[in-house]
Amino acid sequence: GAEGDGHVTRNIRLCWMITDAVEPYVEITGVDALPTTVTPGGKFSVSWQVGGAFTINRAEVQCLDGSGKNKCSSRATKDVEVWVNGARQGPWTTEVTVDADASGPLKIRVWALVDQFFAATDRPEAFKGVPQTHFVNARTNNAWLAKAGDSEVVGHRDWYSQTVDISVSSARRLIPHVRKTH
């Protein structure tokens, strides 16, 4: 906040941040701006946001075909702080290139790996052993499962946005026929 903000404003911002941090999430924010049809080798941009996390270790856009194979390439976002000076950063925009051999429908999504520093072996308290909290294991340990009554905490390292369907047009660019006259 700004200089002179009182404790109430700071505490409200802190409450918002803590509420947001309950569980990481990824969302595509510019769904309406996405094309409905792309061409093989074509490019488009995806705007996306990560919340519920403090650091994006790595994130990238994926374009999955019917077999689950990624049919696009994009530059990965790496080692980005989500919260800076009490404000959440983003959204981020990634340019995507569709593979030249892509065809049919594709499911566009954003994948993110977040907050891995909590379980890093070089953290100051690492000599005490691996993290035991649900908060850390829920975002760093795929094998984590803790149950209490009807509630459970399931660990994930991989976080995904919703998917957006687009199709790949196989239309070829027509080259006009030029008739020679003698």
Side-chain angles (χ1 to χ4, degrees):
E3 187 176 326
D5 278 357
H7 68 89
V8 173
T9 346
R10 286 191 305 264
N11 287 337
I12 288 172
R13 281 195 303 273
L14 181 62
C15 288
W16 283 337
M17 184 182 75
I18 290 169
T19 302
D20 186 61
V22 168
E23 181 178 55
Y25 59 92
V26 185
E27 62 183 346
I28 295 175
T29 57
V31 173
D32 294 337
L34 285 175
T36 56
T37 304
V38 294
T39 56
K43 295 182 180 195
F44 63 96
S45 294
V46 177
S47 293
W48 52 276
Q49 178 74 44
V50 168
F54 296 94
T55 301
I56 301 169
N57 297 90
R58 184 177 175 92
E60 60 188 42
V61 176
Q62 300 174 334
C63 309
L64 306 177
D65 66 8
S67 68
K69 185 176 179 187
N70 190 17
K71 301 303 284 183
C72 68
S73 59
S74 65
R75 187 171 152 188
T77 300
K78 297 178 187 177
D79 301 323
V80 175
E81 295 294 321
V82 176
W83 288 92
V84 176
N85 296 325
R88 190 166 80 177
Q89 304 302 297
W92 293 272
T93 300
T94 301
E95 185 174 275
V96 178
T97 302
V98 179
D99 290 357
D101 66 343
S103 63
L106 295 176
K107 294 197 174 292
I108 309 303
R109 73 178 181 189
V110 179
W111 163 81
L113 179 69
V114 300
D115 292 343
Q116 297 304 295
F117 68 92
F118 282 125
T121 56
D122 62 348
R123 67 189 197 288
E125 71 283 357
F127 69 91
K128 294 181 181 180
V130 297
Q132 298 296 308
T133 67
H134 295 312
F135 180 82
V136 172
N137 281 289
R139 55 192 75 217
T140 63
N141 182 351
N142 282 333
W144 185 258
L145 175 62
K147 294 182 179 185
D150 293 339
S151 300
E152 61 181 28
V153 178
V154 180
H156 298 281
R157 283 178 48 99
D158 300 305
W159 299 91
Y160 300 97
S161 71
Q162 76 278 27
T163 60
V164 178
D165 295 332
I166 65 172
S167 61
V168 179
S169 168
S170 60
R172 296 183 184 142
R173 197 175 82 186
L174 297 176
I175 300 172
H177 177 69
V178 178
R179 177 181 244 174
K180 290 185 178 182
T181 57
H182 294 278

